[in-house]
Amino acid sequence: DAKTTQPTSMDCAEGRAANLPCNHSTISGNEYVYWYRQIHSQGPQYIIHGLKNNETNEMASLIITEDRKSSTLILPHATLRDTAVYYCIGSTGGTSYGKLTFGQGTILTVHP
Amino acid sequence: NAGVTQTPKFRILKIGQSMTLQCTQDMNHNYMYWYRQDPGMGLKLIYYSVGAGITDKGEVPNGYNVSRSTTEDFPLRLELAAPSQTSVYFCASSLAGGLYTQYFGPGTRLTVL
């Protein structure tokens, strides 16, 4: 699975869009990009995933560059409850189980 | 649905003691997983199961055992606890493997002294 690189921490003002970058330059053609987040002391929560097209759901948008070497998770109107660690994960899903390799993620702090 | 539940929430063990961490899901998911998370780190897979009666090792299985006698339950057994097993343990489940979303429980915080 692809190695992903994320900034250690980011800040965002409440109500503004939070844009979280992820580099995955070694990603292979059949690897999906997953985003999970972990709010303090809780279990990780699925946000979104995509292969090469941009994706949007009720929580966030995922923008993947054309060369697939990087992506950006967008929380359109960040709230204080979005303060969490955000994990970008590359996974083929091709194993017999859902292999998710969690790195250290980005600590997003949303300020009032 | 309660989703994925874990008990206990917290536990302190002495070195050499044993215990079982309980995990139950009510979503009729076939796949279940156990992860551990050390302070400031990401999650690491301990064991997983693709269905009742079938389990397999993940990245860090040493010191742990699992069983899966029912679809709903996936207990994790620690034998001869060691300080290196101090961690937060998360159970997760998914409908199937591959690209299916994993749903996580609230975690069990274990300290071994």
Side-chain angles (χ1 to χ4, degrees):
Chain A
D1 292 337
K3 177 177 166 55
T4 61
T5 304
Q6 301 176 250
T8 303
S9 63
M10 295 183 65
D11 290 338
C12 178
E14 190 176 21
R16 303 297 295 269
N19 297 291
L20 289 85
C22 179
N23 285 324
H24 32 78
S25 58
T26 61
I27 199 167
S28 62
N30 62 345
E31 280 189 279
Y32 283 72
V33 178
Y34 278 81
W35 285 84
Y36 279 74
R37 73 180 182 184
Q38 189 174 21
I39 296 170
H40 180 63
S41 298
Q42 298 180 20
Q45 175 190 26
Y46 166 81
I47 302 173
I48 199 167
H49 73 281
L51 183 62
K52 51 185 174 183
N53 297 324
N54 297 338
E55 301 287 345
T56 296
N57 63 19
E58 64 277 4
M59 288 182 69
S61 295
L62 176 60
I63 308 297
I64 303 173
T65 59
E66 194 168 341
D67 62 9
R68 300 205 335 114
K69 293 185 186 300
S70 65
S71 61
T72 301
L73 177 75
I74 301 172
L75 308 178
H77 305 287
T79 70
L80 299 178
R81 289 177 297 177
D82 291 322
T83 292
V85 180
Y86 287 77
Y87 297 100
C88 170
I89 301 165
S91 176
T92 60
T95 53
S96 62
Y97 62 98
K99 183 179 179 184
L100 297 177
T101 303
F102 288 81
Q104 293 189 264
T106 296
I107 301 170
L108 174 68
T109 304
V110 181
H111 297 286
Chain B
N1 286 352
V4 179
T5 57
Q6 294 182 237
T7 57
K9 285 187 170 55
F10 304 93
R11 183 73 185 267
I12 298 174
L13 283 182
K14 294 182 180 178
I15 294 171
Q17 287 186 319
S18 301
M19 77 164 293
T20 299
L21 283 68
Q22 301 291 346
C23 175
T24 300
Q25 54 91 9
D26 63 358
M27 297 175 281
N28 203 29
H29 284 172
N30 292 313
Y31 285 61
M32 295 187 75
Y33 312 82
W34 274 106
Y35 294 87
R36 60 175 285 172
Q37 185 175 33
D38 298 332
M41 305 298 287
L43 281 71
K44 293 186 177 179
L45 184 65
I46 305 171
Y47 270 96
Y48 67 97
S49 169
V50 302
I54 307 169
T55 63
D56 208 345
K57 297 177 181 179
E59 297 174 79
V60 290
N62 291 343
Y64 307 94
N65 280 301
V66 293
S67 59
R68 183 100 181 268
S69 57
T70 67
T71 299
E72 295 78 19
D73 300 306
F74 189 40
L76 177 72
R77 178 84 178 160
L78 278 72
E79 305 280 3
L80 299 174
S84 60
Q85 293 177 305
T86 294
S87 192
V88 181
Y89 291 84
F90 291 102
C91 178
S93 72
S94 64
L95 182 61
L99 301 175
Y100 284 86
T101 298
Q102 292 187 24
Y103 296 87
F104 286 80
T108 293
R109 187 176 297 273
L110 176 67
T111 301
V112 181
L113 300 175

